[in-house]
Amino acid sequence: MAPLEITASRADPELLDLPWDQPLEDWPEEILAALPRGISRHVVRFVRVSGRVLALKEINHNLAKREYEMLRLLGRIGVPSVVPFAVISGRTTPTGEPLDAMLVTRHLQFSLPYRAVFSQVSREDTAQRLLDALAVLLVHLHIEGFYWGDVSLSNTLFRRDAGAFAAYIVDVETGALHEQLTDGQRAYDLDLARTNIIGELMDLQAGDMFDPEADPVEVGDDLVRRYEELWAALTERERFSADERWRVSARIEKLNRLGFDVGELEITTDLDGTTLSILPKVVDAGHHARRLMRLTGIDAQENQARRLLNELDQYGAATEQQAEEEEFVAHEWLQTQYEPVVRAIPRSMRSKLEPPEFFHEVLEHKWFLSEKAGTDVSLDETVRHYILNVLIHRPDEKSLMTTETSALPIFGS
């Protein structure tokens, strides 16, 4: 029998206890974690090892090694992706027959495959929010020079992000990292995304999981438009007269609003100095998330961070601290507003929502209760009402335990 080989950045001895000498589809149910799975060309299962949930994909050895290294590389450059954990190779059955290798990744907590999102809510605006997230992810990948080659909803996981979604790349078998993508490579990726998504939405319609009146082709075309608008905002050269230099700051502020930082900006003038042109050379996603982390230490998705920063600004204005250093105001807001709210989550319910998403939903609930009451409802009262009337009925999304995506209630979509 060939020796088992484990490639991992942090090896876990408990991995050795798993039945690597069996095909993954034959693994016993008692060792599997029943999480919602997307559609995959390979066998995919989830297991619990040392208190963590791992995703296992049975795949050719060379592809497994390549995907493992590619995911590590994407993580280092800050692309939203699943985290690789190990590659298991040298697998054989008890009779010595070779088995494919296994790519092991960490389960992305609080994430859902697209079919789970649509299992309860089939409105067209849900599709639009998923595609917004996918367009941002695809632009981010292309800016980094990553050609995906298999863009689809099936190869993406989604996490809640303050009423929207954030997209994470899952499957990078066909991906390749280049110094810079050509327009043809980007166009092919985008056309593939459109084709796959139209097919996936048609499949959902056939299963009564997507609005039968909606046109999947139009939704696919919307993805292309959203991608092209965002790509243009991030990469197009802008020309203006020399006395309109304020437009340099305006361009940077626009990119910041879109959630991107400008790391390098090329500014050139014509021969007589009457015209300027600017071109963002290096842009980096996650502007609001980085600012929130710097001010408060809160790790949040981009839209969650945007919402929390708005609340922080409102707190500064309400307490007349606009002239104070924002770090001091942020520290006070963290202690008096954010932390008391998230600490109020009962321990038994902490796997239902991430703390930043819980805080966002409490703010939304406060607005709802205040409008209904015709007066401002306190934050403490809102938290109590939300926990007892809304949160208690939500599923645990940290590691959602079900094998039937049709059984997943999707709130707020």
Side-chain angles (χ1 to χ4, degrees):
M1 182 178 294
L4 194 69
E5 180 183 335
I6 300 178
T7 302
S9 56
R10 295 180 64 183
D12 188 328
E14 286 196 25
L15 283 174
L16 296 172
D17 297 332
L18 296 175
W20 300 115
D21 60 349
Q22 299 178 34
L24 184 56
E25 63 182 353
D26 295 338
W27 282 26
E29 290 292 331
E30 58 266 22
I31 69 170
L32 299 178
L35 301 183
R37 298 193 297 266
I39 296 174
S40 173
R41 65 175 68 89
H42 304 287
V43 177
V44 177
R45 297 290 185 269
F46 298 95
V47 297
R48 292 191 183 277
V49 175
S50 300
R52 64 170 70 89
V53 178
L54 301 176
L56 279 60
K57 179 168 73 171
E58 206 164 40
I59 189 173
N60 170 273
H61 168 75
N62 292 332
L63 289 177
K65 292 282 284 188
R66 184 179 182 278
E67 190 165 6
Y68 175 81
E69 294 299 335
M70 186 62 69
L71 286 171
R72 291 185 68 188
L73 181 56
L74 292 179
R76 284 198 294 269
I77 63 178
V79 169
S81 55
V82 294
V83 178
F85 189 78
V87 172
I88 315 296
S89 52
R91 300 172 61 225
T92 58
T93 67
T95 59
E97 295 178 15
L99 294 170
D100 275 340
M102 204 88 79
L103 174 67
V104 185
T105 58
R106 292 179 183 269
H107 170 62
L108 184 63
Q109 293 184 339
F110 298 100
S111 67
L112 297 167
Y114 80 100
R115 294 182 71 86
V117 177
F118 279 104
S119 63
Q120 290 288 320
V121 180
S122 59
R123 296 196 306 265
E124 188 172 358
D125 66 329
T126 303
Q128 300 293 358
R129 282 183 285 163
L130 291 186
L131 294 187
D132 279 340
L134 186 56
V136 171
L137 175 62
L138 191 55
V139 166
H140 189 173
L141 290 167
H142 286 175
I143 284 175
E144 296 290 350
F146 183 79
Y147 168 76
W148 194 341
D150 198 10
V151 190
S152 67
L153 293 173
S154 299
N155 289 334
T156 313
L157 285 174
F158 298 91
R159 295 172 77 176
R160 299 185 184 281
D161 189 9
F165 291 96
Y168 287 72
I169 187 170
V170 176
D171 196 313
V172 296
E173 284 177 44
T174 56
L177 194 64
H178 304 271
E179 186 172 336
Q180 183 176 343
L181 294 185
T182 66
D183 289 343
Q185 286 171 317
R186 290 194 304 105
Y188 186 83
D189 240 6
L190 190 57
D191 184 62
L192 190 62
R194 176 185 176 276
T195 301
N196 284 343
I197 286 163
I198 290 172
E200 288 167 326
L201 294 181
M202 286 180 174
D203 181 57
L204 288 177
Q205 276 185 328
D208 294 325
M209 296 172 67
F210 183 54
D211 184 356
E213 301 299 320
D215 185 351
V217 175
E218 286 186 8
V219 177
D221 290 341
D222 280 343
L223 170 73
V224 175
R225 282 193 292 271
R226 290 160 195 262
Y227 171 94
E228 290 176 341
E229 289 171 2
L230 184 54
W231 182 264
L234 293 171
T235 63
E236 279 189 352
R237 183 178 292 276
E238 184 177 358
R239 291 179 173 81
F240 47 90
S241 62
D243 59 0
E244 294 181 294
R245 297 183 184 183
W246 56 270
R247 290 176 62 174
V248 176
S249 297
R251 178 68 178 273
I252 294 174
E253 289 173 5
K254 178 183 179 181
L255 296 181
N256 290 165
R257 288 196 301 274
L258 290 171
F260 289 81
D261 281 322
V262 180
E264 184 179 333
L265 192 68
E266 178 187 290
I267 304 177
T268 58
T269 65
D270 59 4
L271 291 176
D272 59 7
T274 60
T275 302
L276 290 175
S277 71
I278 56 173
L279 175 68
K281 296 282 287 182
V282 179
V283 292
D284 194 11
H287 169 75
H288 298 96
R290 278 192 294 274
R291 180 174 172 235
L292 182 69
M293 174 66 80
R294 176 177 59 83
L295 289 173
T296 67
I298 298 171
D299 185 8
Q301 306 286 349
E302 184 66 12
N303 286 321
Q304 291 169 348
R306 193 193 311 262
R307 179 67 192 273
L308 267 59
L309 287 168
N310 286 340
E311 191 66 18
L312 172 57
D313 290 341
Q314 291 178 27
Y315 175 81
T319 55
E320 299 182 349
Q321 297 186 76
Q322 296 96 322
E324 291 287 343
E325 292 287 339
E326 64 176 0
E327 287 82 1
F328 294 126
V329 180
H331 181 69
E332 182 179 306
W333 172 83
L334 187 68
Q335 289 189 318
T336 64
Q337 303 293 305
Y338 181 81
E339 289 182 346
V341 168
V342 299
R343 278 201 303 266
I345 306 174
R347 187 175 298 276
S348 61
M349 299 185 190
R350 289 178 184 172
S351 58
K352 291 178 178 288
L353 285 176
E354 292 179 286
E357 187 70 16
F358 175 77
F359 190 83
H360 157 73
E361 295 213 357
V362 164
L363 295 179
E364 292 288 293
H365 199 63
K366 184 177 187 297
W367 177 87
F368 167 76
L369 292 180
S370 298
E371 184 181 52
K372 186 177 180 180
T375 185
D376 187 55
V377 176
S378 72
L379 197 55
D380 287 345
E381 184 179 346
T382 300
V383 170
R384 286 193 295 271
H385 190 276
Y386 180 82
I387 290 172
L388 293 174
N389 294 276
V390 180
L391 186 65
I392 194 172
H393 300 297
R394 296 193 65 129
D396 288 2
E397 291 189 1
K398 186 174 183 179
S399 294
L400 200 51
M401 298 297 292
T402 177
T403 55
E404 296 293 331
T405 56
S406 60
L408 307 182
I410 306 297
F411 290 81
S413 294

